[in-house]
């Protein structure tokens, strides 16, 4: 109800900020390095997983903050959900089927968020390697690959860079993530 009393200029700036941040999430997720050097399948599912990963990382940074940060986290998740809904409709999924698929997407998002959050809380990359191997590289219980280790190192570096990013920078719609072509310590 109180949103009715906010100026349209304030709402437009907020919407524009979220659109810039979500646009940066999608752009980072589409970086060719992930598909050529990290073993991410260049498929609809692989691209979905990369968007989920980067959305989770940004939300991970914001959700433990104060009210504006938590609100931004929710807005970014809402942008993700709206994008997934629009994408399904664009590829021809019927109106009656979209809500069921959106429920599955929401469950997938929250499941991956829990897995990545828990793995990032660990001091080493073993759990993170398993999480990216299972969720992104579809390796299941197979021995983790060098690509999984490299991707886990990237995820850890991205989480650290986001953690070091002041909220004021994010509030301007600026999202700085590591260049996946520059390999950090992968152990």
């Amino acid at each position: 109800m109180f949103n009715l009393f906010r100026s349209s200029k304030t709402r437009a700036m907020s919407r524009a900020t979220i659109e810039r941040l979500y646009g940066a999430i999608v752009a980072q997720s589409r970086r060719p390095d992930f598909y050529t050097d990290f073993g991410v399948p260049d498929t609809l599912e692989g691209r979905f997983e990369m968007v989920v990963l980067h959305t989770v990382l940004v939300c991970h940074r914001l959700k433990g903050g104060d009210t504006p940060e938590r609100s931004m986290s929710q807005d970014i998740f809402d942008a993700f959900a709206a994008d997934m809904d629009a994408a399904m409709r664009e590829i021809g999924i019927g109106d009656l089927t979209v809500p069921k698929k959106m429920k599955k997407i929401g469950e997938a998002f929250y499941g991956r968020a829990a897995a990545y959050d828990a793995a990032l809380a660990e001091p080493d990359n073993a759990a993170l390697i398993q999480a990216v191997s299972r969720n992104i590289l579809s390796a299941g219980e197979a021995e983790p690959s060098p690509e999984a280790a490299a991707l886990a190192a990237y995820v850890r570096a991205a989480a650290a860079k986001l953690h070091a990013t002041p909220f004021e920078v994010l509030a301007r719609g600026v999202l700085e993530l590591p260049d996946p072509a520059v390999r950090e310590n992968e152990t």
Side-chain angles (χ1 to χ4, degrees):
M1 177 172 104
F2 292 108
N3 284 341
L4 297 174
F5 299 105
R6 290 173 51 193
S7 75
S8 61
K9 183 177 178 184
T10 302
R11 282 185 297 206
M13 284 192 304
S14 177
R15 184 174 45 245
T17 298
I18 298 304
E19 287 174 2
R20 277 194 305 276
L21 288 172
Y22 186 70
I25 287 168
V26 171
Q28 183 76 2
S29 300
R30 291 182 177 166
R31 296 276 309 254
D33 306 272
F34 293 120
Y35 306 95
T36 59
D37 300 343
F38 290 82
V40 175
D42 193 4
T43 62
L44 189 59
E45 292 81 13
R47 290 176 181 265
F48 167 77
E49 291 296 344
M50 292 308 293
V51 172
V52 168
L53 171 68
H54 286 94
T55 303
V56 165
L57 287 171
V58 174
C59 290
H60 177 83
R61 157 60 181 88
L62 294 166
K63 72 180 180 183
D66 58 13
T67 300
E69 289 173 295
R70 290 190 312 271
S71 178
M72 180 181 278
S73 177
Q74 182 63 52
D75 290 344
I76 289 170
F77 173 79
D78 292 346
F80 164 79
D83 183 37
M84 294 299 110
D85 184 281
M88 282 190 285
R89 292 175 193 283
E90 190 174 298
I91 62 173
I93 295 175
D95 288 342
L96 297 175
T97 308
V98 169
K100 293 174 193 168
K101 294 209 181 269
M102 285 303 297
K103 181 179 179 188
K104 288 184 179 186
I105 285 173
E107 290 169 353
F109 181 90
Y110 286 113
R112 282 150 179 80
Y116 297 140
D117 287 350
L120 286 167
E122 296 292 325
D124 64 19
N125 278 354
L128 194 51
I129 290 169
Q130 288 296 325
V132 299
S133 184
R134 179 181 58 250
N135 293 323
I136 299 172
L137 304 178
S138 303
E141 299 299 319
E143 184 69 26
S145 65
E147 291 85 3
L151 187 54
Y154 164 80
V155 170
R156 176 95 42 205
K161 189 163 191 167
L162 285 166
H163 181 73
T165 302
F167 176 68
E168 295 74 27
V169 172
L170 296 169
R172 290 193 313 262
V174 176
L175 184 63
E176 297 173 358
L177 290 165
D179 183 347
V182 177
R183 298 289 178 99
E184 300 284 329
N185 179 6
E186 296 174 9
T187 58

